[in-house]
Amino acid sequence: MKSVKAEELSVETFLPFGFYANMLDPDAEKIGKEPIEFYRDMAQQDLGGKAIVSFSTCRVEKRALVVDVTEYHTATGEGCLPLDNDILIHVGPASPGAVPPLDKIRVFRVPQGTMVVIRPGIWHHAPFTVDNKPANVLIVLPERTYANDCIVVELKKADQIGISV
């Protein structure tokens, strides 16, 4: 039987075969700062068509449980996988234009390790951690969705939604 010695993973040695990224301790470009840091397009996978899927990490720290911003993507759904803590996500049904249906917003607790896929057009935004520990959340979107298919609405103080657990 032939034997092969296991190697340590490094960018240089793995490059001929593909790519990798440390999703829990990212060393990458990011958007935002604590309590929400979005490490964008950390690893990408060609699915054999036009789209290239990107894997990003959204790290959320403890913050007030208030929905004060929401967004949607017109042309794509979004995958969301909490890696190391439970999270809370808000969602609202698709609506015309940039007017979120505030009276229809719902909040769900997503257990660590549970993949959630949000349909195109559904209102959502960065998750909330459920306790004092940060949560690293794997986000799966087509490459650069945050730049070319992201309608973001900041809610007026009177329209913000508090979350109770």
Side-chain angles (χ1 to χ4, degrees):
M1 172 189 319
K2 181 180 175 181
S3 178
V4 176
K5 183 175 170 47
E7 303 174 54
E8 292 298 320
L9 194 60
S10 77
V11 173
E12 296 78 22
T13 59
F14 197 72
L15 189 58
F17 309 103
F19 311 94
Y20 72 92
N22 183 338
M23 306 308 277
L24 293 179
D25 189 21
D27 180 22
E29 291 293 319
K30 69 179 177 178
I31 298 171
K33 56 185 188 239
E34 288 184 6
I36 303 169
E37 298 173 319
F38 180 65
Y39 293 86
R40 57 184 173 72
D41 301 337
M42 292 174 55
Q44 298 174 331
Q45 180 180 349
D46 185 340
L47 300 177
K50 290 183 185 178
I52 294 177
V53 67
S54 285
F55 301 93
S56 306
T57 296
C58 184
R59 175 176 290 149
V60 291
E61 304 278 342
K62 183 70 172 173
R63 68 187 196 280
L65 296 177
V66 176
V67 177
D68 56 1
V69 64
T70 191
E71 70 182 29
Y72 70 90
H73 313 294
T74 300
T76 186
E78 179 172 328
C80 181
L81 173 66
L83 299 172
D84 54 1
N85 200 356
D86 291 359
I87 59 171
L88 301 170
I89 60 168
H90 82 271
V91 290
S95 59
V99 181
L102 300 176
D103 58 334
K104 295 180 180 172
I105 297 291
R106 297 179 66 184
V107 176
F108 294 92
R109 183 182 183 122
V110 180
Q112 171 185 341
T114 301
M115 179 69 153
V116 172
V117 178
I118 299 168
R119 296 179 190 280
I122 297 298
W123 290 92
H124 66 284
H125 196 252
F128 298 85
T129 183
V130 298
D131 52 31
N132 290 323
K133 298 184 307 186
N136 290 290
V137 183
L138 178 68
I139 303 295
V140 183
L141 287 164
E143 179 183 22
R144 295 186 38 80
T145 296
Y146 58 87
N148 57 35
D149 182 17
C150 191
I151 291 70
V152 180
V153 174
E154 292 188 28
L155 302 178
K156 297 175 189 167
K157 191 81 165 166
D159 292 334
Q160 293 178 3
I161 301 166
I163 300 171
S164 59
V165 289

